[in-house]
Amino acid sequence: MLAINYRGPQRVRVSHKPMPEIKHPEDAIVRVTRSCICGSDLHLYNGNVPDTRVGMTFGHEFIGIVEEIGSEVHKVKVGDHVLVPFNIACGKCHFCRQGLFGNCHESNTQATAVGGIFGYSHTGGGYDGGQAEFVRVPYANVGPTVIPTGMDPDDAVMLTDVVPTGYQAAEMAGIQPGDTVVVFGAGPVGIMAARCCWLFGAGRVIVLDQYEYRLEFVRNYANCEVYNFKEMDDPVVFIKKITDWMGADVVIDAVGAEAAGSALQTITGRKTLLQAGSATALHWAINSVKKGGIVSIVGVYGPTDNLVPIGNVVNKGLTLRANQASVKRLLPRLIEHVQNGILNPKALITHRIPLEEAADAYRMFSSKLDNCIKPVLIPPSARM
Ligand SMILES: NC(=O)c1ccc[n+]([C@@H]2O[C@H](COP(=O)([O-])OP(=O)(O)OC[C@H]3O[C@@H](n4cnc5c(N)ncnc54)[C@H](O)[C@@H]3O)[C@@H](O)[C@H]2O)c1
Ligand SMILES: [Zn+2]
Ligand SMILES: [Zn+2]
Protein backbone atom coordinates (compact mmCIF):
# COMPACT_ATOMS: atom_id res chain seq x y z
CA MET A 1 0.00 0.00 0.00
CA LEU A 2 1.02 3.63 -0.39
CA ALA A 3 1.91 5.44 2.82
CA ILE A 4 3.83 8.43 4.02
CA ASN A 5 7.31 7.51 5.10
CA TYR A 6 9.28 9.87 7.38
CA ARG A 7 12.92 10.12 6.31
CA GLY A 8 14.19 12.81 8.71
CA PRO A 9 13.50 16.49 9.41
CA GLN A 10 11.60 18.18 6.55
CA ARG A 11 11.69 14.98 4.53
CA VAL A 12 8.63 12.86 3.97
CA ARG A 13 8.19 10.54 1.04
CA VAL A 14 5.31 8.42 -0.15
CA SER A 15 6.41 4.82 -0.60
CA HIS A 16 5.07 1.28 -0.59
CA LYS A 17 4.71 -0.32 2.84
CA PRO A 18 3.31 -3.71 3.90
CA MET A 19 -0.43 -3.82 4.52
CA PRO A 20 -1.31 -3.40 8.21
CA GLU A 21 -2.59 -6.54 9.90
CA ILE A 22 -4.97 -7.35 12.74
CA LYS A 23 -2.71 -7.90 15.75
CA HIS A 24 -5.34 -8.05 18.48
CA PRO A 25 -8.99 -9.26 18.46
CA GLU A 26 -10.18 -5.68 19.06
CA ASP A 27 -8.30 -4.22 16.06
CA ALA A 28 -9.86 -3.04 12.82
CA ILE A 29 -8.22 -2.23 9.49
CA VAL A 30 -9.62 0.92 7.87
CA ARG A 31 -9.27 1.86 4.20
CA VAL A 32 -8.58 5.60 4.35
CA THR A 33 -10.68 7.95 2.24
CA ARG A 34 -9.44 11.30 3.63
CA SER A 35 -6.53 12.24 5.86
CA CYS A 36 -5.59 15.76 6.89
CA ILE A 37 -2.23 17.30 7.66
CA CYS A 38 -2.28 19.08 11.03
CA GLY A 39 -0.14 21.70 12.75
CA SER A 40 0.80 18.86 15.12
CA ASP A 41 2.35 17.00 12.18
CA LEU A 42 4.69 19.95 11.69
CA HIS A 43 6.32 19.28 15.08
CA LEU A 44 7.12 15.77 13.78
CA TYR A 45 8.07 17.01 10.31
CA ASN A 46 10.49 19.54 11.79
CA GLY A 47 12.13 16.90 14.00
CA ASN A 48 10.94 18.47 17.27
CA VAL A 49 9.28 15.37 18.76
CA PRO A 50 11.65 12.91 20.46
CA ASP A 51 11.81 9.36 19.12
CA THR A 52 10.23 10.08 15.76
CA ARG A 53 11.63 7.13 13.86
CA VAL A 54 12.58 6.97 10.21
CA GLY A 55 9.95 4.94 8.38
CA MET A 56 7.00 6.11 10.48
CA THR A 57 3.71 6.98 8.80
CA PHE A 58 2.13 10.15 10.19
CA GLY A 59 -1.57 11.04 10.14
CA HIS A 60 -3.97 11.28 13.09
CA GLU A 61 -6.92 12.95 11.33
CA PHE A 62 -8.58 10.43 9.05
CA ILE A 63 -11.83 8.83 7.98
CA GLY A 64 -12.37 5.68 5.98
CA ILE A 65 -14.21 2.44 5.39
CA VAL A 66 -13.84 -0.56 7.70
CA GLU A 67 -12.03 -3.21 5.65
CA GLU A 68 -11.50 -5.96 8.24
CA ILE A 69 -12.28 -6.51 11.93
CA GLY A 70 -10.84 -8.66 14.70
CA SER A 71 -12.93 -11.38 16.34
CA GLU A 72 -13.95 -9.17 19.31
CA VAL A 73 -15.00 -6.06 17.41
CA HIS A 74 -18.75 -5.52 17.64
CA LYS A 75 -19.19 -1.72 17.48
CA VAL A 76 -18.34 -1.41 13.78
CA LYS A 77 -18.65 -3.82 10.88
CA VAL A 78 -16.93 -4.27 7.54
CA GLY A 79 -18.14 -1.61 5.10
CA ASP A 80 -19.00 1.03 7.74
CA HIS A 81 -17.83 4.57 6.97
CA VAL A 82 -16.13 5.75 10.13
CA LEU A 83 -14.41 8.80 11.53
CA VAL A 84 -11.60 7.93 13.91
CA PRO A 85 -10.65 10.23 16.83
CA PHE A 86 -6.95 11.03 16.87
CA ASN A 87 -6.56 9.69 20.43
CA ILE A 88 -6.13 5.95 20.81
CA ALA A 89 -8.05 5.02 23.96
CA CYS A 90 -8.90 1.76 25.70
CA GLY A 91 -12.24 3.03 27.00
CA LYS A 92 -11.83 1.15 30.29
CA CYS A 93 -8.98 2.62 32.34
CA HIS A 94 -9.28 5.15 35.18
CA PHE A 95 -8.76 8.10 32.81
CA CYS A 96 -10.96 6.92 29.94
CA ARG A 97 -13.77 6.38 32.46
CA GLN A 98 -13.54 10.10 33.32
CA GLY A 99 -13.78 11.08 29.65
CA LEU A 100 -10.06 11.87 29.51
CA PHE A 101 -9.63 9.85 26.31
CA GLY A 102 -6.48 11.78 25.40
CA ASN A 103 -4.86 10.55 28.61
CA CYS A 104 -5.61 6.83 28.33
CA HIS A 105 -3.34 4.87 30.67
CA GLU A 106 -3.26 1.71 28.54
CA SER A 107 -2.73 2.74 24.93
CA ASN A 108 0.75 4.23 25.22
CA THR A 109 3.43 2.13 26.86
CA GLN A 110 6.06 4.78 26.04
CA ALA A 111 4.71 7.62 28.20
CA THR A 112 2.67 8.31 31.31
CA ALA A 113 1.40 11.79 30.39
CA VAL A 114 -0.32 11.24 27.09
CA GLY A 115 -2.23 8.29 25.67
CA GLY A 116 -1.61 6.79 22.25
CA ILE A 117 -1.97 8.99 19.18
CA PHE A 118 -2.07 7.74 15.59
CA GLY A 119 1.11 8.49 13.64
CA TYR A 120 2.72 10.50 16.39
CA SER A 121 6.23 9.10 17.07
CA HIS A 122 7.12 6.48 19.64
CA THR A 123 6.47 8.99 22.42
CA GLY A 124 2.87 8.82 21.16
CA GLY A 125 2.88 5.02 21.33
CA GLY A 126 4.57 4.15 18.03
CA TYR A 127 1.36 3.61 16.05
CA ASP A 128 1.44 4.20 12.30
CA GLY A 129 -1.05 6.83 11.15
CA GLY A 130 -3.62 7.37 8.46
CA GLN A 131 -1.69 9.29 5.79
CA ALA A 132 -1.77 6.01 3.93
CA GLU A 133 -4.15 3.79 2.02
CA PHE A 134 -4.84 1.59 5.06
CA VAL A 135 -4.36 1.91 8.81
CA ARG A 136 -4.64 -0.39 11.79
CA VAL A 137 -7.09 0.97 14.36
CA PRO A 138 -6.65 -0.54 17.85
CA TYR A 139 -9.53 -0.60 20.40
CA ALA A 140 -11.99 -0.49 17.52
CA ASN A 141 -14.97 -0.74 19.93
CA VAL A 142 -13.98 2.62 21.43
CA GLY A 143 -12.73 5.18 18.91
CA PRO A 144 -14.23 4.66 15.44
CA THR A 145 -17.61 6.34 15.07
CA VAL A 146 -19.98 5.66 12.18
CA ILE A 147 -20.34 8.83 10.10
CA PRO A 148 -23.99 9.93 10.18
CA THR A 149 -25.82 9.51 6.87
CA GLY A 150 -25.65 12.63 4.77
CA MET A 151 -22.65 14.16 6.52
CA ASP A 152 -20.06 15.61 4.12
CA PRO A 153 -16.79 13.61 4.40
CA ASP A 154 -14.88 16.91 4.67
CA ASP A 155 -16.91 17.76 7.79
CA ALA A 156 -16.39 14.24 9.14
CA VAL A 157 -12.60 14.39 8.83
CA MET A 158 -12.54 17.73 10.64
CA LEU A 159 -14.40 16.08 13.55
CA THR A 160 -11.42 13.78 14.22
CA ASP A 161 -9.36 16.65 15.66
CA VAL A 162 -9.77 20.30 14.61
CA VAL A 163 -13.37 20.76 15.72
CA PRO A 164 -13.05 19.02 19.10
CA THR A 165 -9.69 20.69 19.78
CA GLY A 166 -10.98 24.17 18.98
CA TYR A 167 -14.10 23.50 21.03
CA GLN A 168 -12.17 22.11 23.99
CA ALA A 169 -9.83 25.12 23.91
CA ALA A 170 -12.88 27.33 24.43
CA GLU A 171 -14.41 24.96 26.98
CA MET A 172 -11.22 24.79 29.09
CA ALA A 173 -11.01 28.59 28.99
CA GLY A 174 -13.98 28.75 31.40
CA ILE A 175 -15.47 31.68 29.49
CA GLN A 176 -18.02 33.74 31.45
CA PRO A 177 -20.74 35.74 29.63
CA GLY A 178 -19.24 38.88 28.13
CA ASP A 179 -15.60 37.85 28.59
CA THR A 180 -12.85 39.17 26.36
CA VAL A 181 -10.94 36.26 24.82
CA VAL A 182 -7.62 36.47 23.02
CA VAL A 183 -6.66 33.57 20.76
CA PHE A 184 -3.04 33.27 19.68
CA GLY A 185 -2.81 31.50 16.31
CA ALA A 186 -5.11 31.58 13.27
CA GLY A 187 -4.39 28.08 12.04
CA PRO A 188 -7.29 25.63 11.77
CA VAL A 189 -7.26 25.08 15.54
CA GLY A 190 -7.20 28.79 16.44
CA ILE A 191 -9.90 29.52 13.85
CA MET A 192 -12.17 26.84 15.29
CA ALA A 193 -11.39 27.94 18.87
CA ALA A 194 -12.31 31.54 18.01
CA ARG A 195 -15.57 30.39 16.45
CA CYS A 196 -16.42 28.22 19.48
CA CYS A 197 -15.73 30.99 22.03
CA TRP A 198 -19.03 32.60 20.99
CA LEU A 199 -20.86 29.34 21.86
CA PHE A 200 -19.65 29.77 25.45
CA GLY A 201 -20.85 33.38 25.73
CA ALA A 202 -17.75 35.44 24.93
CA GLY A 203 -18.39 39.15 24.52
CA ARG A 204 -15.29 39.92 22.48
CA VAL A 205 -12.96 37.62 20.55
CA ILE A 206 -9.54 38.81 19.38
CA VAL A 207 -7.15 36.73 17.25
CA LEU A 208 -3.45 37.35 16.61
CA ASP A 209 -1.31 35.77 13.89
CA GLN A 210 1.40 36.81 11.44
CA TYR A 211 -0.32 35.87 8.16
CA GLU A 212 -2.77 38.34 6.66
CA TYR A 213 -4.63 35.67 4.67
CA ARG A 214 -5.32 33.66 7.82
CA LEU A 215 -6.38 36.76 9.77
CA GLU A 216 -8.73 37.65 6.93
CA PHE A 217 -10.16 34.13 6.96
CA VAL A 218 -10.77 34.03 10.71
CA ARG A 219 -12.24 37.55 10.73
CA ASN A 220 -14.94 36.32 8.32
CA TYR A 221 -15.33 32.79 9.66
CA ALA A 222 -15.44 33.62 13.37
CA ASN A 223 -16.62 37.22 13.22
CA CYS A 224 -13.80 38.44 15.44
CA GLU A 225 -11.22 41.23 15.74
CA VAL A 226 -7.85 40.38 14.20
CA TYR A 227 -4.36 41.80 14.53
CA ASN A 228 -1.01 41.01 12.97
CA PHE A 229 1.64 40.65 15.67
CA LYS A 230 4.38 41.39 13.12
CA GLU A 231 3.12 44.96 13.08
CA MET A 232 3.48 45.44 16.86
CA ASP A 233 6.43 46.36 19.04
CA ASP A 234 5.11 44.22 21.86
CA PRO A 235 1.94 42.10 21.56
CA VAL A 236 1.54 41.95 25.35
CA VAL A 237 1.47 45.74 25.70
CA PHE A 238 -0.84 45.93 22.68
CA ILE A 239 -3.38 43.57 24.26
CA LYS A 240 -3.27 45.43 27.57
CA LYS A 241 -3.81 48.68 25.72
CA ILE A 242 -6.97 47.44 23.94
CA THR A 243 -8.38 45.94 27.16
CA ASP A 244 -8.29 49.09 29.36
CA TRP A 245 -4.87 48.00 30.62
CA MET A 246 -6.50 45.07 32.45
CA GLY A 247 -5.53 42.22 30.10
CA ALA A 248 -7.85 39.67 28.52
CA ASP A 249 -10.17 37.62 30.74
CA VAL A 250 -8.97 34.45 29.08
CA VAL A 251 -6.25 33.65 26.57
CA ILE A 252 -6.02 30.59 24.34
CA ASP A 253 -2.67 29.33 23.02
CA ALA A 254 -3.44 27.69 19.67
CA VAL A 255 0.15 27.94 18.44
CA GLY A 256 2.45 25.56 20.30
CA ALA A 257 6.09 24.73 19.70
CA GLU A 258 6.53 26.24 16.20
CA ALA A 259 5.80 29.77 17.46
CA ALA A 260 7.38 32.77 15.77
CA GLY A 261 7.85 36.23 17.27
CA SER A 262 10.91 35.96 19.53
CA ALA A 263 14.46 35.48 18.26
CA LEU A 264 15.61 33.99 21.56
CA GLN A 265 12.78 31.45 21.66
CA THR A 266 13.24 30.58 18.00
CA ILE A 267 16.97 29.96 18.37
CA THR A 268 16.72 27.96 21.61
CA GLY A 269 13.47 26.17 20.79
CA ARG A 270 13.43 25.60 17.05
CA LYS A 271 16.97 25.86 15.74
CA THR A 272 19.19 24.40 18.49
CA LEU A 273 16.49 22.47 20.39
CA LEU A 274 17.88 23.55 23.77
CA GLN A 275 14.26 23.64 24.91
CA ALA A 276 11.22 21.74 23.66
CA GLY A 277 10.09 24.23 21.03
CA SER A 278 9.59 27.96 21.10
CA ALA A 279 7.29 29.05 23.94
CA THR A 280 6.64 32.54 22.55
CA ALA A 281 2.87 32.30 22.37
CA LEU A 282 2.77 30.84 25.86
CA HIS A 283 4.79 33.79 27.20
CA TRP A 284 2.45 36.21 25.49
CA ALA A 285 -0.59 34.33 26.83
CA ILE A 286 0.61 34.34 30.44
CA ASN A 287 1.69 37.97 30.32
CA SER A 288 -1.37 39.37 28.52
CA VAL A 289 -4.14 37.67 30.49
CA LYS A 290 -5.51 39.69 33.40
CA LYS A 291 -4.67 38.83 37.00
CA GLY A 292 -6.70 35.83 38.15
CA GLY A 293 -7.39 34.92 34.53
CA ILE A 294 -7.36 31.59 32.74
CA VAL A 295 -4.88 30.46 30.10
CA SER A 296 -6.12 27.57 27.98
CA ILE A 297 -3.38 25.75 26.09
CA VAL A 298 -4.01 23.41 23.18
CA GLY A 299 -0.80 24.30 21.33
CA VAL A 300 1.45 21.27 21.56
CA TYR A 301 4.84 21.43 23.32
CA GLY A 302 7.46 18.71 23.55
CA PRO A 303 7.77 16.57 26.65
CA THR A 304 11.08 18.14 27.76
CA ASP A 305 11.48 21.51 29.52
CA ASN A 306 10.51 24.93 28.21
CA LEU A 307 11.58 28.37 29.35
CA VAL A 308 8.18 29.51 30.61
CA PRO A 309 7.45 32.52 32.88
CA ILE A 310 6.17 30.37 35.69
CA GLY A 311 6.90 33.14 38.24
CA ASN A 312 4.29 35.32 36.56
CA VAL A 313 1.81 32.44 36.70
CA VAL A 314 2.23 32.41 40.47
CA ASN A 315 2.24 36.16 41.02
CA LYS A 316 -0.81 36.74 38.83
CA GLY A 317 -2.73 33.84 40.39
CA LEU A 318 -3.47 32.29 37.02
CA THR A 319 -5.29 29.13 36.14
CA LEU A 320 -3.62 27.20 33.35
CA ARG A 321 -5.65 24.54 31.65
CA ALA A 322 -4.33 22.32 28.91
CA ASN A 323 -4.77 18.92 27.31
CA GLN A 324 -4.97 16.93 24.15
CA ALA A 325 -8.59 17.14 23.06
CA SER A 326 -10.83 14.30 24.28
CA VAL A 327 -12.41 13.75 20.89
CA LYS A 328 -14.73 10.90 21.83
CA ARG A 329 -16.19 12.79 24.80
CA LEU A 330 -17.07 15.79 22.63
CA LEU A 331 -18.21 14.02 19.46
CA PRO A 332 -21.95 13.59 20.18
CA ARG A 333 -22.41 17.35 20.77
CA LEU A 334 -20.16 18.41 17.90
CA ILE A 335 -21.79 16.08 15.38
CA GLU A 336 -25.06 17.80 16.30
CA HIS A 337 -23.50 21.25 15.88
CA VAL A 338 -22.31 20.30 12.39
CA GLN A 339 -25.64 18.75 11.44
CA ASN A 340 -27.52 21.84 12.66
CA GLY A 341 -25.20 24.18 10.78
CA ILE A 342 -23.86 25.83 13.95
CA LEU A 343 -20.36 24.79 12.90
CA ASN A 344 -19.16 24.49 9.31
CA PRO A 345 -15.74 22.86 9.54
CA LYS A 346 -15.33 21.88 5.90
CA ALA A 347 -14.98 25.57 5.05
CA LEU A 348 -11.44 25.40 6.51
CA ILE A 349 -10.28 22.86 3.92
CA THR A 350 -8.48 24.86 1.24
CA HIS A 351 -6.54 22.09 -0.55
CA ARG A 352 -7.42 18.57 -1.70
CA ILE A 353 -4.22 16.78 -2.68
CA PRO A 354 -3.52 13.23 -3.93
CA LEU A 355 -1.78 11.14 -1.25
CA GLU A 356 1.07 10.55 -3.71
CA GLU A 357 1.87 14.29 -3.56
CA ALA A 358 2.12 14.39 0.24
CA ALA A 359 5.71 15.71 0.21
CA ASP A 360 4.56 18.84 -1.66
CA ALA A 361 1.55 19.14 0.64
CA TYR A 362 3.81 19.14 3.72
CA ARG A 363 6.07 21.77 2.19
CA MET A 364 3.12 23.99 1.33
CA PHE A 365 1.40 23.65 4.72
CA SER A 366 4.63 24.07 6.65
CA SER A 367 5.62 27.24 4.78
CA LYS A 368 2.01 28.53 4.66
CA LEU A 369 2.11 28.86 0.85
CA ASP A 370 -0.81 29.32 -1.55
CA ASN A 371 -3.06 30.71 1.21
CA CYS A 372 -3.26 27.23 2.72
CA ILE A 373 -5.39 26.78 5.82
CA LYS A 374 -6.05 23.02 5.90
CA PRO A 375 -4.89 20.42 3.37
CA VAL A 376 -6.50 17.01 3.03
CA LEU A 377 -4.79 14.04 1.36
CA ILE A 378 -6.91 11.71 -0.77
CA PRO A 379 -5.68 8.18 -1.54
CA PRO A 380 -6.13 6.83 -5.09
CA SER A 381 -9.07 4.51 -4.27
CA ALA A 382 -11.11 7.41 -2.87
CA ARG A 383 -10.64 9.46 -6.04
CA MET A 384 -12.23 6.94 -8.40
N1 LIG B 1 -4.25 19.72 22.08
C1 LIG B 1 -4.70 19.08 21.00
O1 LIG B 1 -5.49 18.16 21.11
C2 LIG B 1 -4.27 19.54 19.64
C3 LIG B 1 -4.91 19.05 18.51
C4 LIG B 1 -4.55 19.57 17.26
C5 LIG B 1 -3.55 20.52 17.16
N2 LIG B 1 -2.93 20.95 18.29
C6 LIG B 1 -1.89 21.96 18.25
O2 LIG B 1 -2.47 23.22 18.00
C7 LIG B 1 -1.50 24.07 17.39
C8 LIG B 1 -2.08 24.72 16.14
O3 LIG B 1 -2.40 23.73 15.16
P1 LIG B 1 -2.81 24.21 13.68
O4 LIG B 1 -3.15 22.98 12.91
O5 LIG B 1 -3.79 25.31 13.75
O6 LIG B 1 -1.35 24.73 13.19
P2 LIG B 1 -0.87 25.80 12.09
O7 LIG B 1 0.60 25.61 11.97
O8 LIG B 1 -1.69 25.71 10.85
O9 LIG B 1 -1.19 27.22 12.76
C9 LIG B 1 -0.40 27.83 13.73
C10 LIG B 1 -0.55 29.33 13.55
O10 LIG B 1 0.10 30.01 14.63
C11 LIG B 1 0.69 31.20 14.10
N3 LIG B 1 1.70 31.70 15.01
C12 LIG B 1 3.03 31.42 15.06
N4 LIG B 1 3.61 32.06 16.09
C13 LIG B 1 2.62 32.78 16.70
C14 LIG B 1 2.60 33.64 17.82
N5 LIG B 1 3.70 33.86 18.54
N6 LIG B 1 1.41 34.24 18.16
C15 LIG B 1 0.29 34.01 17.44
N7 LIG B 1 0.25 33.18 16.36
C16 LIG B 1 1.41 32.57 16.00
C17 LIG B 1 1.21 30.74 12.75
O11 LIG B 1 1.45 31.85 11.91
C18 LIG B 1 0.10 29.83 12.25
O12 LIG B 1 -0.85 30.52 11.46
C19 LIG B 1 -0.29 23.18 17.12
O13 LIG B 1 0.65 23.32 18.18
C20 LIG B 1 -0.87 21.81 17.17
O14 LIG B 1 0.09 20.83 17.51
C21 LIG B 1 -3.28 20.48 19.51
ZN1 LIG C 1 -4.33 17.19 14.36
ZN1 LIG D 1 -7.90 4.08 28.65
Side-chain angles (χ1 to χ4, degrees), residues 38-41 60-61 86 161-162 374:
C38 173
S40 298
D41 292 321
H60 57 271
E61 304 183 5
F86 76 85
D161 182 343
V162 169
K374 188 77 173 169

Side-chain angles (χ1 to χ4, degrees), residues 20-220:
E21 286 169 6
I22 302 271
K23 290 186 181 162
H24 183 278
E26 286 178 75
D27 284 353
I29 304 295
V30 169
R31 178 154 64 83
V32 177
T33 54
R34 293 261 190 306
S35 177
C36 290
I37 302 179
C38 173
S40 298
D41 292 321
L42 297 180
H43 314 317
L44 298 165
Y45 181 67
N46 290 324
N48 288 341
V49 181
D51 210 2
T52 305
R53 300 189 190 170
V54 165
M56 166 151 252
T57 296
F58 301 160
H60 57 271
E61 304 183 5
F62 60 89
I63 60 169
I65 303 167
V66 178
E67 179 85 4
E68 194 185 339
I69 52 173
S71 57
E72 284 172 29
V73 174
H74 48 78
K75 214 192 114 201
V76 292
K77 55 184 188 314
V78 171
D80 279 350
H81 289 246
V82 290
L83 67 91
V84 182
F86 76 85
N87 333 95
I88 300 174
C90 78
K92 295 185 187 126
C93 72
H94 175 78
F95 300 100
C96 285
R97 284 203 313 272
Q98 293 178 58
L100 291 166
F101 295 102
N103 310 100
C104 176
H105 213 50
E106 296 294 328
S107 60
N108 185 358
T109 54
Q110 319 286 332
T112 50
V114 72
I117 300 178
F118 287 100
Y120 215 74
S121 84
H122 276 66
T123 50
Y127 299 92
D128 266 337
Q131 290 168 5
E133 289 186 283
F134 296 89
V135 56
R136 179 174 79 95
V137 175
Y139 305 107
N141 292 321
V142 182
T145 302
V146 174
I147 299 172
T149 319
M151 179 176 280
D152 189 311
D154 286 349
D155 280 330
V157 76
M158 295 294 274
L159 282 164
T160 63
D161 182 343
V162 169
V163 182
T165 302
Y167 187 89
Q168 186 169 317
E171 183 192 58
M172 289 191 303
I175 297 166
Q176 299 298 312
D179 270 359
T180 295
V181 184
V182 167
V183 179
F184 285 107
V189 170
I191 293 168
M192 194 51 72
R195 175 74 186 80
C196 289
C197 286
W198 299 115
L199 304 180
F200 290 88
R204 188 178 174 197
V205 180
I206 301 163
V207 178
L208 278 81
D209 201 291
Q210 58 189 326
Y211 295 112
E212 285 301 325
Y213 80 91
R214 289 187 161 204
L215 290 170
E216 188 60 33
F217 185 96
V218 70
R219 189 207 327 260
N220 295 325

